Amino acid sequence: MTYGKPITLADAKKIVAAAQAEAIKNGWHMAIAIYDSGANLVLLEKMDNTQLGSIEICQQKALTSVKFRRATKAFEEAVEKGGMNLKILSMSNVIPVEGGELIVKNDEIIGAIGVSGALSAQDTQVAKAGLAAL
Amino acid sequence: MTYGKPITLADAKKIVAAAQAEAIKNGWHMAIAIYDSGANLVLLEKMDNTQLGSIEICQQKALTSVKFRRATKAFEEAVEKGGMNLKILSMSNVIPVEGGELIVKNDEIIGAIGVSGALSAQDTQVAKAGLAAL
Amino acid sequence: MTYGKPITLADAKKIVAAAQAEAIKNGWHMAIAIYDSGANLVLLEKMDNTQLGSIEICQQKALTSVKFRRATKAFEEAVEKGGMNLKILSMSNVIPVEGGELIVKNDEIIGAIGVSGALSAQDTQVAKAGLAAL
Amino acid sequence: MTYGKPITLADAKKIVAAAQAEAIKNGWHMAIAIYDSGANLVLLEKMDNTQLGSIEICQQKALTSVKFRRATKAFEEAVEKGGMNLKILSMSNVIPVEGGELIVKNDEIIGAIGVSGALSAQDTQVAKAGLAAL
C-alpha cells in the first residue's frame, strides 16, 4: 500500500471523536494520537484521568503503524511467537503493542491512530471505532 | 501563583477552538498545544498546512510557560536586553519566544497554551484569543 | 507556500549530482542531504574527505528548511541582527546557518536540500547549483 | 579482521546501485545505507514509497555491522537461540536483524551496508547483491 496525502485535521477530529465515544461508553480513560502519512503529529487528545504514561505510548503506537505500514498488533503477534522474532524488541522505532492502526482512504495510507490507556485489546477496539467514523 | 488541578480536556478544547477561530479569521496556519499543571500534554492540534517545525515549537512554548509559571514573552524580553540575560539561551527547557501563556482558573495555574506558526506576536494574539474563551 | 508530494529519489539524485559537480569544480568536500516534504530523509551523500561534522549539519540544515518553509539563511540573517532575534538560538529544531534551501516544484514544497563542508556562503552556492538542475 | 581505510563515495554508489537493481527486479521498496570504517554515514538512499521506518533501521543495521565487525545475521541467530543470548536485546547499539553486511576490500573492513524494507532475508539478499558489485 502506498503513502498518500497527509490526513486533514478535520478527518483526524472525526476519528478521535468516534474513538473517544467508544472509550466513554466503556468507562475507559485514554490518550489518542493521530499522525499523518509523513509521520508528523496532527492531533493528540488525553482524556481526563488517563494514566500519564499513555501520552507517549499512544504516539509510539501511531508512529510504529505509519512508519511500518501495518497495525501494531502484527508486531505483537510476532513477539508472542518468540524465538527469532524477539529481535523486534531491539528496534527502537517499533512498539509491538496493539492499539496502533493505519488510516486508509482511497486505498492510500493517510496516517495512523494510536490508542493507549486500557488493556491493549481495548485500545484496539477504541482505535477501530475511530476508524469506522471515516 | 500556585499550581492547581490539571486542566480538563473539555476546557482545553474550548481554548483551542477559540484560538483556532482567531487563526482562521486571519488566514494563519498554526499548531496549538495545551499542557496541564503537571506539565503533561492534554491536547495538540496542527491545522492543515502548518509548517512542520511548529509541532515541536508549540509544545516547547507551553512547557516553558507551565514549568516557569510565566508567559514565554517574559523570557523573550529578557533575551532582548542582552548581557547576562543571554544565559537563558542555555536553559534546555526554556524557549524564550512569545506564544506561550499560562492558563489560570480561580487564581490557580491549571495549565498553559503554546502557539506556533505565524510571527510570534501573532502566535500570542492567537493564544490570548484562546484564553479569552475560558 | 503549501507542502506538496514528497520528492522522488530520481529528482533528489539529479539535484545532488548537480550540487556535487559544483563542489568538485571548486575543490570543496561536502555532505549533502535531501529531505522530503514530510521531513523524512531521502538521500544523503558524503564526498570523500568531507569533515565528519558535516554529516549531521547538512541534515539539520535541510530539516530546518523544510520544517520552517524557508532558506536557513533567513534565520542566519535574523541572528545577525542580534537583540531579540537571539531567541532563535534556543529553538532546538532550527539551525540558523545558511546552506539549507527549499525544493519547490509546481509552486509546492516537495523537500529541502542541506549542504555542509565549506564556508556557509559556499554551502549555499552548492545548494543552489543543485536546485538549478531540477 | 582489521579496519582499513574508509570506503569511498564512488564504491558506496556502486554497491547501492547494484543493491537497488536487485530490489527493483523483485518489486521491493527499500532504504539502503552505507557507513564507512569509522562508523560514519557515507550514503543513504530511500527508494520511493519505502516504509518510513526503514530509514532508521537501515542505518542501525549498517552501524551494528561495522561497529561489531560481523553481519547482523550473526546477532539474529544468537537471539534465536534464546536463553543467555537475549542479553543482546539490551545492547542499545545493536540491532539483531539480518540485512547488515560488512564491506571488505583487500581483507580489510572498509564499511558496512544496511538494507531495510522487505522481509529480513530479502534485505540480506539485496545487501549481498550490492556487495557483489564491488
Side-chain angles (χ1 to χ4, degrees):
Chain A
M1 206 179 312
T2 61
Y3 290 111
K5 287 194 176 179
I7 188 170
T8 61
L9 179 56
D11 276 352
K13 281 182 172 178
K14 262 186 229 158
I15 292 169
V16 170
Q20 262 176 19
E22 179 73 14
I24 290 167
K25 201 177 71 184
N26 289 283
W28 299 330
H29 305 276
M30 293 174 140
I32 306 172
I34 307 283
Y35 278 73
D36 67 20
S37 52
N40 295 296
L41 182 57
V42 170
L43 179 60
L44 185 146
E45 299 197 12
K46 182 187 74 68
M47 294 169 67
D48 299 341
N49 202 31
T50 299
Q51 58 184 6
L52 296 176
S54 288
I55 301 168
E56 283 168 67
I57 299 294
C58 74
Q59 293 181 69
Q60 292 171 353
K61 287 181 180 179
L63 274 171
T64 298
S65 186
V66 78
K67 285 189 173 180
F68 293 91
R69 293 194 289 215
R70 67 199 79 179
T72 53
K73 191 176 173 63
F75 286 114
E76 178 164 327
E77 289 170 346
V79 168
E80 192 179 9
K81 287 178 193 158
M84 190 181 68
N85 287 320
L86 296 181
K87 66 186 177 188
I88 291 167
L89 301 176
S90 76
M91 297 169 78
S92 61
N93 58 357
V94 170
I95 182 166
V97 184
E98 64 170 303
E101 297 283 337
L102 283 177
I103 305 171
V104 177
K105 201 172 181 172
N106 301 327
D107 291 322
E108 289 188 321
I109 297 162
I110 59 169
I113 181 173
V115 176
S116 173
L119 299 178
S120 46
Q122 294 167 339
D123 294 342
T124 296
Q125 178 182 332
V126 166
K128 288 193 167 165
L131 294 179
L134 197 60
Chain B
M1 205 178 311
T2 61
Y3 289 112
K5 288 194 177 178
I7 188 171
T8 61
L9 178 56
D11 276 352
K13 282 183 172 179
K14 260 185 232 162
I15 291 170
V16 169
Q20 262 176 18
E22 180 71 13
I24 290 166
K25 201 177 70 183
N26 288 283
W28 299 329
H29 305 275
M30 292 174 142
I32 306 172
I34 306 282
Y35 278 74
D36 67 19
S37 53
N40 296 297
L41 182 57
V42 171
L43 179 60
L44 185 146
E45 299 197 12
K46 182 185 75 68
M47 294 168 66
D48 298 342
N49 203 33
T50 298
Q51 60 182 5
L52 295 175
S54 288
I55 302 169
E56 285 167 69
I57 298 293
C58 75
Q59 293 181 69
Q60 291 170 356
K61 287 181 179 179
L63 275 170
T64 297
S65 187
V66 76
K67 285 189 173 180
F68 294 91
R69 293 194 290 213
R70 69 198 76 180
T72 53
K73 190 175 172 62
F75 285 115
E76 178 164 327
E77 289 169 346
V79 167
E80 194 177 6
K81 286 180 193 158
M84 189 181 68
N85 286 320
L86 295 182
K87 65 188 174 188
I88 291 167
L89 300 175
S90 76
M91 297 168 77
S92 61
N93 57 356
V94 169
I95 183 167
V97 183
E98 65 170 304
E101 298 281 337
L102 284 176
I103 305 171
V104 177
K105 201 171 182 175
N106 301 326
D107 292 324
E108 289 188 321
I109 297 161
I110 60 169
I113 181 172
V115 177
S116 173
L119 299 178
S120 44
Q122 295 167 339
D123 294 343
T124 296
Q125 178 183 332
V126 166
K128 287 194 168 164
L131 294 180
L134 196 62
Chain C
M1 207 180 309
T2 61
Y3 290 111
K5 285 194 178 179
I7 189 171
T8 61
L9 179 56
D11 276 351
K13 281 183 172 177
K14 262 185 231 160
I15 292 170
V16 169
Q20 263 176 20
E22 179 73 14
I24 289 166
K25 200 178 69 182
N26 288 282
W28 298 330
H29 305 276
M30 294 174 140
I32 306 172
I34 306 282
Y35 278 74
D36 67 19
S37 52
N40 295 298
L41 183 57
V42 170
L43 179 59
L44 186 147
E45 298 197 13
K46 183 186 73 70
M47 295 168 65
D48 298 342
N49 202 30
T50 299
Q51 57 183 6
L52 296 176
S54 287
I55 302 168
E56 283 168 69
I57 298 294
C58 75
Q59 294 181 69
Q60 291 170 356
K61 287 181 180 179
L63 274 172
T64 297
S65 187
V66 76
K67 284 190 173 180
F68 292 91
R69 292 194 290 216
R70 67 198 80 179
T72 53
K73 191 176 172 63
F75 285 115
E76 179 165 325
E77 289 170 346
V79 168
E80 193 179 8
K81 287 180 193 157
M84 191 180 67
N85 287 320
L86 296 180
K87 66 187 177 187
I88 291 166
L89 301 175
S90 74
M91 296 169 77
S92 61
N93 57 357
V94 170
I95 181 166
V97 184
E98 64 170 304
E101 298 281 338
L102 284 177
I103 305 171
V104 176
K105 202 171 181 173
N106 301 329
D107 292 323
E108 290 188 320
I109 298 162
I110 59 169
I113 180 173
V115 177
S116 173
L119 299 178
S120 44
Q122 295 167 339
D123 294 342
T124 296
Q125 179 182 331
V126 167
K128 287 192 169 166
L131 294 180
L134 197 60
Chain D
M1 207 178 311
T2 61
Y3 289 112
K5 286 195 177 179
I7 187 171
T8 61
L9 179 56
D11 276 352
K13 282 183 172 178
K14 262 185 232 159
I15 292 169
V16 169
Q20 262 175 20
E22 180 73 14
I24 289 167
K25 200 178 70 182
N26 289 283
W28 299 328
H29 305 276
M30 292 175 141
I32 306 173
I34 306 283
Y35 278 73
D36 68 18
S37 53
N40 297 297
L41 182 57
V42 171
L43 180 59
L44 186 146
E45 299 196 13
K46 181 186 76 69
M47 295 169 65
D48 298 342
N49 204 32
T50 299
Q51 60 183 6
L52 295 175
S54 288
I55 302 169
E56 286 167 68
I57 298 294
C58 74
Q59 293 181 69
Q60 292 170 356
K61 287 180 179 179
L63 274 171
T64 297
S65 186
V66 77
K67 285 189 173 180
F68 294 92
R69 294 193 287 211
R70 69 198 76 181
T72 53
K73 191 175 173 63
F75 285 115
E76 178 163 327
E77 289 170 345
V79 167
E80 194 177 7
K81 286 179 193 159
M84 189 181 68
N85 287 321
L86 296 182
K87 65 188 174 189
I88 291 167
L89 300 176
S90 77
M91 297 169 78
S92 61
N93 57 356
V94 170
I95 183 166
V97 184
E98 65 170 303
E101 297 282 337
L102 284 176
I103 305 171
V104 177
K105 201 171 181 174
N106 303 326
D107 292 324
E108 289 187 320
I109 297 162
I110 59 168
I113 182 173
V115 177
S116 174
L119 299 179
S120 43
Q122 296 167 338
D123 294 341
T124 296
Q125 178 182 331
V126 167
K128 289 193 167 165
L131 293 179
L134 196 60

